[in-house]
Amino acid sequence: MKRINLLTLAGYRERGERFACLTAYDASFARCMANAGIEVILVGDSLGMVLQGHNSTIPVTVDDMTYHVEAVKRGTQETEMRPMIMADLPFMSFATLDETLRNAGQLMRAGAQVVKIEGGRELAERVARLHENGVPCCVHLGLTPQSVNCFGGFRVQGRDAETAERILEDVRILTEAGAAIVLLECVPEPLATRIQQQVSVPTIGIGAGPNLDGQVLVMHDMLGLGVGRSPRFVHDFLAGQTGIEDAFQAYVTAVREGAYPAAEHWFAE
């Protein structure tokens, strides 16, 4: 049995190998992903949109996340490869330090190996305390969906020099505080590449170009099940395949070989 963990991802980074991450929310799809070779499963608060039918991730609760983490864990317990399970701390679940520690602990007990938290340098103390308490943390920067009301919509972040420098500094502060993974969403490729060169921890991108260590997509999007206009970074991996597990395998292969993301999937500026 092969177990994927942070040391595995660090090894991929050191060897220049790419890894694949997808969202999953239940045991059946998690099992298919493990069988297809997906290294990281993100139990994302995107479930608020793709499962619950909301127009944002904001209504999702910690109890919602816990339920789905438990299901995903059960789906991967008997597979030949055990993906690493990463789980979102949802909106307002980390407003205070005490809430951050309590809610992260709940997700870890449910089966998460890493918790993901959205925001910048203001999270440094929370990231440090999570690290001190044995909770690996993935910091999510760029377009952070929980802050969509502050951004005025789903917009690319870091296009101007001032904002780009702020994101770079946020990354530096948070990795120095102990962040184990950096996830970048919808930032221009040149900025993502600068961050990749700056940090020593594994990086994951979505709409951030080809030069990061891993790529992540929402499962429903990559199966062509998205509602409305698809984001630029989405590619339908089910098209031309005979089944869902084949689509997952096609995604893994495309990420590892550098075929995804292609130029049409990222933002040059």
Side-chain angles (χ1 to χ4, degrees):
M1 181 181 294
K2 181 179 181 181
R3 298 173 184 264
I4 307 297
N5 54 37
L6 286 172
L7 287 178
T8 314
L9 301 190
Y12 291 151
R13 177 181 172 88
E14 184 177 350
R15 296 189 297 272
E17 299 174 7
R18 302 298 189 230
F19 61 87
C21 175
L22 278 178
T23 64
Y25 317 97
D26 64 33
S28 296
F29 279 115
R31 186 179 304 109
C32 283
M33 289 181 190
N35 291 335
I38 297 293
E39 287 94 350
V40 180
I41 291 177
L42 170 62
V43 185
D45 58 2
S46 49
L47 67 88
M49 302 172 78
V50 298
L51 296 188
Q52 297 176 339
H54 300 297
N55 61 7
S56 76
T57 64
I58 289 173
V60 177
T61 68
V62 176
D63 287 341
D64 291 335
M65 294 301 305
T66 301
Y67 173 88
H68 290 283
V69 170
E70 290 172 341
V72 166
K73 180 183 178 181
R74 286 191 290 268
T76 61
Q77 283 181 327
E78 304 300 328
T79 53
E80 185 174 342
M81 186 187 81
R82 280 193 175 179
M84 189 178 81
I85 299 173
M86 182 161 64
D88 276 324
L89 278 169
F91 180 69
M92 291 299 290
S93 67
F94 49 95
T96 68
L97 185 56
D98 286 345
E99 288 175 313
T100 302
L101 295 173
R102 180 174 66 253
N103 292 325
Q106 181 171 326
L107 293 181
M108 294 290 282
R109 285 188 291 272
Q113 293 154 272
V114 178
V115 298
K116 182 165 74 66
I117 188 169
E118 295 185 11
R121 64 193 70 184
E122 69 279 2
L123 299 177
E125 183 182 6
R126 294 169 179 80
V127 170
R129 288 293 299 276
L130 288 170
H131 178 70
E132 290 166 4
N133 283 276
V135 179
C137 184
C138 171
V139 291
H140 181 160
L141 298 106
L143 172 58
T144 48
Q146 292 174 18
S147 301
V148 65
N149 289 316
C150 295
F151 294 148
F154 294 92
R155 300 173 183 270
V156 178
Q157 303 296 307
R159 278 181 154 156
D160 63 275
E162 180 180 353
T163 306
E165 290 301 321
R166 180 172 180 83
I167 292 174
L168 277 164
E169 183 66 5
D170 285 345
V171 171
R172 183 192 66 78
I173 291 169
L174 291 171
T175 51
E176 288 182 357
I181 301 173
V182 172
L183 189 149
L184 302 173
E185 179 170 356
C186 287
V187 301
E189 180 275 327
L191 174 58
T193 299
R194 289 177 66 190
I195 292 170
Q196 172 72 6
Q197 295 167 346
Q198 170 181 298
V199 303
S200 58
V201 300
T203 58
I204 300 173
I206 179 168
N211 296 321
L212 304 177
D213 301 310
Q215 297 292 328
V216 62
L217 283 173
V218 172
M219 177 189 70
H220 292 67
D221 288 342
M222 61 84 67
L223 293 177
L225 300 175
V227 177
R229 183 173 176 270
S230 294
R232 177 171 183 162
F233 50 78
V234 170
H235 179 79
D236 182 355
F237 284 91
L238 184 57
Q241 303 297 328
T242 58
I244 288 174
E245 194 167 313
D246 291 336
F248 294 159
Q249 290 172 346
Y251 172 63
V252 170
T253 299
V255 170
R256 289 178 182 170
E257 295 181 352
Y260 178 84
E264 65 264 26
H265 299 125
W266 71 72
F267 306 89
E269 57 182 23

